[in-house]
Amino acid sequence: MAIRRVSALALRIVRQFAHDRRTLGLVFVVPLLVMTILNFVLNSSTSGLTLGIVPPDGPVGDALVSQIKAELVGQGSLTVRTVARSDVDAALKDGADGVLVLPPQIGAGATVALRLEGSNPAAAQQLKGLVAQLVAGLPQQSGAGGNAVPAPPSGAAALNVSYLYGGPEYTQTDALAPLFIGLFAFFFVFLLTSVSFLRERSQGTIERLMVSPLSKSELVLGYVFGFTLFALVQSLLILLFVVYVLRVHYAGNLGLIFLVTLALTIGGVNLGIFISAFARNELQVVQFIPLLLVPQALLAGLFFPVQTLPVVLKQVAYIMPLTYANFALKDVMLKGFGLDQIWPYLAVLVGFAALMIVAAAVSLRQERV
Amino acid sequence: MAHDSAGGDTPIAITAVTKTFGNVRALDGVSLTVGRGETFGLIGPNGSGKTTLIRLLLGLGRPSGGTVRVLGRIMPNRSVAPQIGYMTQSSALYNELSARDNLAFFATLYGLHGKALARRLDETLTLVDLQERADAPVATYSGGMRQRVSLAAALVHEPQLLFLDEPTVGIDPELRQIFWDYFAQLNTRGVTIVVSTHILDEAARCHRLALLRFGKLLAVDSPDGLRRESGEENFDRAFRYFAQRTAPAGAAG
């Protein structure tokens, strides 16, 4: 095993794509474009959100409501209106997306509740995010008034969220970001590897590699490194884009996201090498997409939560690597879970990668005969 | 050098080699040896087994019968890879990369780096007369230029044993002469060359020729020897003469 040969191969792959502007655009710009479109599609229904507020009793309440209104100015087209304590559910049925219920008496031990309409997950999620920020920000502002709202340990923790319809599992807006990082990394790495490997065969360069001192393990490693680099740059770009441009809520550890993406990518590269053995041209590689990628996109939790799938489909979902990548990425990004909690998912991904490496090696073994 | 002692004076020794693909006998009982510093030509129509023979010599596949010995090792064997250069029938290059990047990549696989790498890149690019276009993507090259890069890629690591599968297809006659002059130069440095060709002018410049037909060896001799034995000046006619002899030449010398 020579690091120099492996890195030469990885570097060559990077160089090839550096000259190929169209592919670079495909890998790096298209995911951002898709995320932007999704963002608009999902959030278009959230324009004109209405938040009801049940104020604390007395003049303190009026002051607090006007303070909250001032706070929420500039948060898009959010309308804030005051709701009577007894009319919370009526207000929700009457078009309010959520009602923030403040305690009658502001003081120690008082909890703030948010009741969401819930049938529009995107709206519910956005409102929840806004209110969480708002509640987290409250103590400082009302602190000037002396005996104010107790400081919550963290923004969302003090917030008691309930739903009129549905429940928290309905909130998918934020969930899309981690899912798409996994999907894009897997999809592009698979597609690019299988096409590059196919070209390696069709233009005859694989024979030069086979005749050279490069061993098969070095060949596989070089490919893994070269494409992993692309996948990591891609996921970093998507992550930064969704967090800073699309402003998606994000709680987890960046290193852990990379680790999950890495395991998924290694699986994708080797699946690509393996699949390229069954394709004679680029079109045939594309023909594998409906077979290998579309079911994963549909069943791995992107569009329908895995838990809600019919039993048979659920079992199919549980043999798909993307499902586990999605679980892991979701847990890390949305729940802020650590390695100690997501390791079973990561282990499945590593197992999948190992299986694909074996498959790729077997397909390469036939190359010599 | 180590490879000399390993290969001795017969870097290539093939004994009773057979290769079958399903029902097809691509090679049928071929035996021959190639000496050090020799240019050995493989001649025969398409499908005669030339490429199969070269692939077995390269270790790209296992003979169905018999043994293929290269530089003293029974093939396939990876340990001889550093001493071997291979120019494929198609140009086999990365189209997105420049000639220099292609050569640098292949050279690095053979362990070249730093100053030695830079020196070899300059030498081989000069040899194939591509210094001026060396940094343009190979995709923009003509067929002849691609063949030149392909040859350079086979030579860049200074192999002791060079396999050329129809190396001068698509190359103009002037450059072909330059290539063959260089091959002769390599021979004097002890480099052994195995070349398959259709071009009779090239066949005449080989030290010895093997005539192949339907995977069988018809004859192995020097160009002059083949002419003398067949009584034909022209290789096409000489080839027909050997093909019409019922008994194949079999093991040759």
Side-chain angles (χ1 to χ4, degrees), chain A residues 228-311:
Chain A
T228 303
L229 197 71
F230 273 98
L232 290 186
V233 171
Q234 187 197 47
S235 18
L236 183 67
L237 213 59
I238 297 174
L239 196 66
L240 292 176
F241 187 76
V242 297
V243 170
Y244 292 105
V245 180
L246 302 184
R247 305 233 164 237
V248 160
H249 176 247
Y250 149 73
N253 176 336
L254 201 70
L256 213 49
I257 293 171
F258 272 9
L259 206 60
V260 174
T261 313
L262 181 72
L264 187 65
T265 304
I266 293 172
V269 167
N270 287 285
L271 177 68
I273 294 175
F274 175 65
I275 287 300
S276 74
F278 301 98
R280 292 222 178 79
N281 53 49
E282 276 94 339
L283 182 64
Q284 291 186 349
V285 168
V286 173
Q287 286 165 356
F288 276 107
I289 292 174
L291 177 69
L292 294 171
L293 295 172
V294 173
Q296 297 208 61
L298 287 176
L299 299 180
L302 253 73
F303 300 109
F304 320 104
V306 176
Q307 292 81 0
T308 67
L309 291 173
V311 179

Side-chain angles (χ1 to χ4, degrees), chain A residues 4-6 8-10 12 15-17 19-20 199-200 202-216 367-369, chain B residues 19 55 58-61 76 78 81-82 84 86-88 90-97 101 105-106 108-110 113 150 153-154:
Chain A
R4 196 170 259 132
R5 285 200 287 268
V6 172
L9 185 53
R12 189 210 82 211
R15 281 218 179 102
Q16 275 177 289
F17 283 112
H19 288 290
D20 187 351
R199 283 196 195 146
E200 212 60 274
S202 63
Q203 67 200 2
T205 45
I206 189 116
E207 302 219 318
R208 277 198 207 273
L209 300 184
M210 290 294 177
V211 166
S212 83
L214 185 79
S215 71
K216 274 172 200 160
E367 207 66 52
R368 276 201 171 236
V369 184
Chain B
K19 178 73 180 175
R55 290 177 60 86
L58 286 163
L60 294 170
R78 300 197 53 76
I84 290 178
Y86 176 37
M87 183 176 171
T88 47
S90 65
S91 56
L93 299 165
Y94 299 102
N95 289 325
E96 304 87 349
L97 302 183
D101 284 346
F105 169 64
F106 290 118
T108 310
L109 297 185
Y110 287 90
H113 57 91
S150 180

Side-chain angles (χ1 to χ4, degrees), chain B residues 135-147:
Chain B
D135 295 308
V138 168
T140 64
Y141 286 15
S142 68
M145 287 170 77
R146 296 169 59 88
Q147 283 296 91

Side-chain angles (χ1 to χ4, degrees), chain B residues 170-191:
Chain B
I171 288 190
D172 61 79
E174 197 185 342
L175 189 68
R176 187 184 301 155
Q177 289 308 317
I178 295 172
F179 271 24
W180 278 86
D181 290 345
Y182 184 70
F183 295 159
Q185 222 182 83
L186 288 174
N187 286 151
T188 63
R189 282 191 237 154
V191 176

Side-chain angles (χ1 to χ4, degrees), chain B residues 182-241:
Chain B
Y182 184 70
F183 295 159
Q185 222 182 83
L186 288 174
N187 286 151
T188 63
R189 282 191 237 154
V191 176
T192 309
I193 300 174
V194 175
V195 55
S196 79
T197 183
H198 279 307
I199 299 164
L200 301 178
D201 176 44
E202 287 187 350
R205 292 193 66 163
C206 294
H207 295 115
R208 283 192 306 146
L209 296 169
L211 305 188
L212 280 164
R213 188 164 177 263
F214 300 136
K216 289 197 164 109
L217 203 56
L218 299 178
V220 180
D221 206 343
S222 67
D224 282 342
L226 291 171
R227 287 198 189 100
R228 219 177 299 124
E229 195 179 342
S230 63
E232 301 279 0
E233 256 322 281
N234 179 309
F235 279 117
D236 275 342
R237 292 189 178 176
F239 191 90
R240 209 174 304 150
Y241 166 82

Side-chain angles (χ1 to χ4, degrees), chain A residues 147-167:
Chain A
N147 188 17
V149 178
S154 77
L159 192 64
N160 201 343
V161 181
S162 63
Y163 290 80
L164 179 64
Y165 306 117

